[in-house]
Amino acid sequence: MASPKVARSIMEKIINRPRLLTKHPEMGQIEDNPEVVGRGVQYLVEGNYKIVYKVYKEDRAILIAAVFDTRQNPTKLKV
């Protein structure tokens, strides 16, 4: 279990990472989860965490769908 200081640092990195998407929304990799293949879902990695998102070009919006700890079984990821 992480100390509050370490947890805060991890949280800040996870929150700040998606800010890059405002200028480069297509920078993430395509999500290969069989449940979402073909739906335009992408992800960024920050440390041990996968930040799963979708870009809505017509609305100029980005939806963060999930933050997933990659040390878990990948089948637990529900988007």
Side-chain angles (χ1 to χ4, degrees), residues 10-37:
I10 293 168
M11 184 179 68
E12 287 174 3
K13 289 177 183 177
I14 291 171
I15 289 170
N16 288 327
R17 182 78 167 145
R19 290 186 178 155
L20 296 170
L21 297 174
T22 57
K23 291 187 179 183
H24 309 285
E26 304 297 328
M27 71 183 284
Q29 296 180 5
I30 302 295
E31 176 59 51
D32 58 358
N33 182 327
E35 291 185 25
V36 297
V37 169

